[in-house]
Each structure stands twice: as structure tokens, then as C-alpha cells.
Amino acid sequence: MTINIDCETEDKLELPYEEIIRNVVLSSLEYENCPYEAEVNVVLTDNEEIHKLNLEYRGIDRPTDVLSFPMLEYDTPSDFSHVEEDYEDCFNPETGELMLGDIILSVDKVREQAESYGHSETRELAFLVAHSMLHLCGYDHMEDGEREEMERRQHEILELGGYRR
């Protein structure tokens, strides 16, 4: 399992963010029954940089809390049965790991939302990673049923890791 974590902001979180990220990534993959060793890239940045990315990739002119860039396409969320058919596109040739994608997190938003929602920065970081991991596994929340399913899964992943409000 490869979890690359890069902090591209000088204003770092004052908590064991690498441990939290690793725990939530692993818990998410276990919860989603991913049958492969996987590779996930996580970048911690600030509101200014995530604002630029949000505008460039989503056409939304404001900072957001997290952006997910999945490497895989799914007919059904977390259905990994097709990936071996596209082995060259889905697996890292050097490690043999399934390349799930990238997560970009705003450290500023972690702080702002933790305060706004009245819970710890640890819980907010864990929530955003779980949310993004579900996107990397093919889930979305554009419709009510999808949103409810993602919320249920996020909650269960966070409960498994002991990340409570």
C-alpha cells in the first residue's frame, strides 16, 4: 500500500495528520472491500491554491475543502472487477498497485469547518479523507439517494476508525 502525503503549505496542522490520513485511507479501502494493494496521493494545501484548482477543474470560483481526482471509472461504485482488463491503465507498473487517484485538501478549510461544526480538526480531516476516498471508489452525491449512501458510508468508516464528533 502506497499513501503519498505531501504538505504544500507552511501552515501545517498541529495534529498527527499523516497517521490520520493513512488510517482513514486504509479503513476506507477495507470497508469498500478493495481486493488490491492500492496507491493514493494526498496533498495538503491552503485556500488560495485549492481555489485555483477548483476554478481550473470545476469552474467554481472559490476555495473548497477537498478535491478528488479518481484514476478509475466505475459502472458501479467500488466494483473493482473490471480493473484487470485495463491493467496497464489501472496499475502502477513499478509497484503493481491499483492507482486510485489524488486527494487535495485545504488545511484552512479543515480548521474553519472544524470550528464551524463544533468538532475537532482530527475529526474534520478524517471526514474529508473518508469523503474523498469514496469519490476515488466511484461514489458521488449529486442526487439524494447517492448523497444518503455516501453519508452512511462516511459515517461507518469514521466510526470504525473511532473518529466521532
Side-chain angles (χ1 to χ4, degrees), residues 33-47:
N33 298 309
C34 179
Y36 302 100
E37 290 293 312
E39 177 181 314
V40 175
N41 301 304
V42 181
V43 176
L44 300 169
T45 192
D46 56 29
N47 277 349

Side-chain angles (χ1 to χ4, degrees), residues 66-100:
V66 64
L67 292 170
S68 309
F69 296 95
M71 294 287 290
L72 304 176
E73 293 185 24
Y74 301 87
D75 290 330
T76 303
S78 286
D79 177 5
F80 299 98
S81 63
H82 72 287
V83 297
E84 289 188 24
E85 297 169 11
D86 299 320
Y87 189 87
E88 291 177 5
D89 293 332
C90 297
F91 291 86
N92 183 323
E94 295 176 16
T95 65
E97 293 175 326
L98 181 64
M99 297 181 296
L100 287 179

Side-chain angles (χ1 to χ4, degrees), residues 6-7 10-11 14 24 32 53 59 69 76 89 91 103 107 116 123-125 133 140-141 143 146-147 163:
D6 292 318
C7 189
E10 292 182 23
D11 188 18
E14 298 297 322
V24 176
E32 292 300 316
L53 293 169
F69 296 95
T76 303
D89 293 332
F91 291 86
I103 297 171
V107 168
S116 175
R123 198 292 184 172
E124 185 64 19
L125 176 62
M133 283 300 297
D140 208 344
H141 47 77
E143 297 176 15
E146 293 174 336
R147 181 185 48 77
Y163 299 104

